[in-house]
């Protein structure tokens, strides 16, 4: 069980899934979503089979986007939500396969 604002966590997950779907559509790949119970937290992961992260330095820069119709606020907002709940959000290229993984950690 976690203590969190359900609406905020929902918004963070919507942002992460939306980004994963956009990435997967470019390569006709898949998206996988899941969670696991760790010692002191819950990890929620969103994996895509897109091209992966090309420029990780700008991922959480507000208003930076590589999408023609993007706003650049989804990832920074999602990270802010995670941190406001005592958690974290990291994005990384997948080690086994193409694409990226977003890992949202929330304390138990």
């Amino acid at each position: 069980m976690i203590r969190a604002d359900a609406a905020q966590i929902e918004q963070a997950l919507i942002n992460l899934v939306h980004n994963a779907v956009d990435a997967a559509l470019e390569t006709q790949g898949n998206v996988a979503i899941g969670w696991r119970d760790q010692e002191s937290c819950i990890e929620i992961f969103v994996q895509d089979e897109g091209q992966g992260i090309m420029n990780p330095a700008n991922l959480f820069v507000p208003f930076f986007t590589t999408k023609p119709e993007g706003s650049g606020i989804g990832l920074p907002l999602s990270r802010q939500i995670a941190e406001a709940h005592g958690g974290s959000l990291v994005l990384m290229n997948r080690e086994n396969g193409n694409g990226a993984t977003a890992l949202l950690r929330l304390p138990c």
Side-chain angles (χ1 to χ4, degrees):
M1 181 160 91
I2 61 170
R3 292 182 184 204
D5 182 308
Q8 289 184 5
I9 299 302
E10 178 182 11
Q11 185 60 58
L13 291 173
I14 287 169
N15 294 340
L16 298 177
V17 171
H18 188 269
N19 283 352
V21 169
D22 285 349
L25 283 173
E26 291 179 9
T27 61
Q28 298 180 356
N30 295 308
V31 173
I33 304 166
W35 66 277
R36 53 188 161 248
D37 188 4
Q38 297 293 72
E39 291 178 23
S40 61
C41 68
I42 297 294
E43 291 184 342
I44 303 168
F45 59 87
V46 181
Q47 295 179 325
D48 67 67
E49 294 178 342
Q51 295 181 359
I53 301 166
M54 303 301 170
N55 187 357
N58 293 320
L59 284 176
F60 297 105
V61 174
F63 307 111
F64 176 84
T65 183
T66 59
K67 299 177 189 177
E69 297 179 21
S71 65
I73 61 170
L75 288 178
L77 176 61
S78 297
R79 185 183 203 176
Q80 184 179 15
I81 290 169
E83 291 174 351
H85 286 82
S88 64
L89 173 63
V90 295
L91 276 77
M92 64 205 111
N93 285 319
R94 294 177 59 189
E95 292 180 14
N96 300 325
N98 294 333
T101 298
L103 186 60
L104 173 63
R105 291 185 178 107
L106 297 169
C108 297

